[in-house]
């Protein structure tokens, strides 16, 4: 077990260093909520019912609605002004009370107290004093910065700290039928007492099991043995607009590559024609060799948000000797230039 709290039990001038452990655990079968069609987990979002926007956890504050319908909000500064006992690491014994005077309805959670290696003797002293006097120690303790009432009682060889509800947390039963006069005849009381005696037994909770949980585990094992299972689906990482960001990225990269290929296709020159100049007029100059792209291709806009994704330059296209000619000029005797044909 892992200690969840360390401190000391103080009664009179005696201090017993102890560690606190949770004494109980829940064995209920836990289920996830999943989509029956594909097995995807069902998640919940924090959505403001006024503006309809999803709210980050950091933007959430505590709100208290009054009986008049007014809303009061409390931020971290307000909560820090409250008296908390986070620094108090002592279990202060206020008084010792008879065990039979403690209403079990007040009992809440149970924790084991383990003594420090050097505190075995004072721990045993307190334990045996509670056992022989048949009393419990009423204490105050701060767990998770919240102070609460608790009891120290003995269970076998360990001291148990039992947190308690505050008295105003126990509801008062208001059943009018209980106030009605009911006549019980002596014969009925005798028969009821005889039935109780005949069904009497020593208390042994280990004789009982959670039949519902056992049946649920058996059902799960049966479904696994028959192969009625499927792989846990991988959840899609939804983007801000609920789209699959990976799909958007692949789409952006594909479009960037296509755009880069279109921009890098060299213009095919004619053997006898002239390449147009920047102004659109025919030029007497021989067509120049298209410059090969050596750097990264132009960034292409992605379909979402206008962000740009850099892609590598496409491979240099192979020239077809039947359809293209490498422009190479030579000077004739008349001073004019014309392209040399290549095989």
């Amino acid at each position: 077990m892992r200690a969840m709290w360390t401190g000391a039990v103080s009664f009179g001038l005696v201090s017993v260093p102890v560690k606190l452990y949770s004494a109980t655990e829940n064995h209920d079968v836990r289920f996830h909520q999943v989509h029956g069609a594909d097995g995807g987990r069902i998640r919940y979002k924090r959505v403001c019912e006024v503006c309809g926007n999803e709210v980050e956890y950091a933007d959430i504050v505590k709100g208290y609605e009054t009986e008049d319908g007014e809303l009061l909000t409390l931020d971290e500064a307000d909560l820090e002004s409250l008296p908390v006992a986070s620094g108090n690491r002592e279990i202060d014994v206020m008084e010792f009370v008879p065990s039979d005077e403690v209403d079990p309805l007040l009992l809440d959670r149970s924790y084991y107290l383990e003594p420090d290696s050097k505190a075995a003797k004072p721990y045993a002293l307190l334990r045996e004093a509670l056992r022989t006097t048949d009393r419990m120690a009423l204490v105050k303790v701060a767990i998770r910065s919240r102070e609460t009432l608790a009891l120290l009682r003995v269970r076998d060889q360990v001291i148990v700290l039992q947190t308690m509800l505050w008295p105003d947390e126990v509801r008062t039963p208001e059943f009018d039928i209980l106030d009605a006069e009911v006549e019980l005849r002596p014969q009925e009381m005798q028969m009821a007492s005889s039935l109780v005696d005949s069904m009497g037994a020593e208390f042994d909770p280990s004789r009982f099991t959670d039949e519902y949980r056992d049946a649920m585990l058996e059902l799960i094992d049966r479904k696994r043995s028959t192969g009625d299972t499927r792989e846990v689906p991988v959840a899609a990482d939804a983007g801000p607009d609920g789209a699959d960001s990976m799909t958007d990225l692949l789409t952006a990269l594909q479009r960037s590559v296509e755009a880069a290929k279109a921009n890098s296709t060299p213009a095919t020159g004619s053997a006898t024609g002239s390449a147009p100049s920047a102004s659109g007029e025919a030029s007497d100059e021989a067509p120049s060799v298209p410059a090969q792209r050596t750097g990264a291709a132009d960034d292409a806009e992605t379909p979402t948000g206008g962000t740009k994704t850099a892609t590598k330059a496409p491979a240099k296209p192979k020239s077809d000797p039947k359809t293209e000619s490498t422009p190479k000029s030579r000077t004739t005797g008349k001073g004019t230039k014309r392209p040399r044909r290549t095989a």
Side-chain angles (χ1 to χ4, degrees), residues 1 22 88 106 126 137 162 190 212 287-288 301 304 306:
M1 292 186 292
S22 179
N88 186 7
L106 289 169
L126 175 60
Q162 192 94 43
Q190 183 179 1
Y212 178 83
S288 59
E301 293 187 357
T304 56

Side-chain angles (χ1 to χ4, degrees), residues 7-18 89-91 118-119 122-123:
V9 178
S10 300
F11 60 103
L13 299 178
V14 180
S15 180
V16 185
V18 294
R89 288 290 178 175
E90 286 192 355
I91 303 175
K118 299 180 180 180
Y123 182 92

Side-chain angles (χ1 to χ4, degrees), residues 4-247:
M4 56 175 294
W5 185 91
T6 57
V9 178
S10 300
F11 60 103
L13 299 178
V14 180
S15 180
V16 185
V18 294
K19 295 179 181 179
L20 192 72
Y21 300 85
S22 179
T24 60
E25 58 185 358
N26 195 326
H27 286 168
D28 286 345
V29 180
R30 305 274 179 159
F31 294 98
H32 297 306
Q33 288 187 329
V34 299
H35 187 195
D38 53 22
R41 287 283 299 274
I42 303 299
R43 304 289 185 179
Y44 294 95
K45 295 182 178 181
R46 294 177 291 269
V47 179
C48 175
E49 64 180 16
V50 175
C51 64
N53 296 330
E54 184 176 356
V55 182
E56 296 294 334
Y57 188 80
D59 298 329
I60 297 178
V61 298
K62 297 184 181 296
Y64 178 82
E65 186 174 351
T66 65
E67 296 179 356
D68 299 333
E70 297 179 340
L71 180 65
L72 304 177
T73 58
L74 302 177
D75 55 20
E76 292 297 329
D78 296 325
L79 298 178
E80 290 176 357
S81 65
L82 298 177
V84 295
S86 58
N88 186 7
R89 288 290 178 175
E90 286 192 355
I91 303 175
D92 298 320
V93 177
M94 297 180 293
E95 55 190 19
F96 295 94
V97 299
S99 300
D100 57 0
E101 292 184 3
V102 178
D103 185 356
L105 196 60
L106 289 169
L107 302 182
D108 193 11
R109 296 181 178 272
S110 302
Y111 301 92
Y112 290 141
L113 292 182
E114 178 194 26
D116 188 79
S117 58
K118 299 180 180 180
K121 186 173 182 177
Y123 182 92
L125 179 64
L126 175 60
R127 180 189 63 206
E128 297 307 318
L130 293 175
R131 194 197 307 273
T132 56
T133 60
D134 194 21
R135 288 179 179 267
M136 298 183 182
L138 182 64
V139 303
K140 274 190 175 182
V141 60
I143 301 177
R144 298 188 180 94
S145 74
R146 178 75 181 270
E147 193 174 57
T148 182
L149 284 176
L151 290 170
L152 299 184
R153 61 183 181 86
V154 178
R155 184 177 188 268
D156 298 331
Q157 293 297 106
V158 67
I159 296 178
V160 177
L161 184 141
Q162 192 94 43
T163 59
M164 301 174 62
L165 303 174
W166 296 98
D168 60 355
E169 293 180 317
V170 178
R171 302 171 65 182
T172 301
E174 298 178 353
F175 308 129
D176 295 337
I177 192 173
L178 300 180
D179 297 330
E181 292 292 337
V182 178
E183 182 181 357
L184 299 175
R185 295 183 296 176
Q187 297 88 343
E188 295 171 337
M189 284 295 303
Q190 183 179 1
M191 291 298 296
S193 299
S194 299
L195 177 62
V196 171
D197 291 337
S198 64
M199 298 180 63
E202 295 294 330
F203 180 63
D204 184 11
S206 62
R207 296 187 293 113
F208 305 94
T209 59
D210 188 345
E211 297 180 358
Y212 178 83
R213 184 190 65 197
D214 294 343
M216 179 62 70
L217 293 176
E218 182 180 354
L219 173 62
I220 292 174
D221 290 339
R222 188 165 61 250
K223 291 182 73 69
R224 290 183 62 185
S225 62
T226 57
D228 190 9
T229 60
R230 56 184 172 185
E231 295 292 333
V232 177
V234 179
D237 184 12
D241 298 329
D244 189 344
S245 59
M246 182 60 69
T247 302

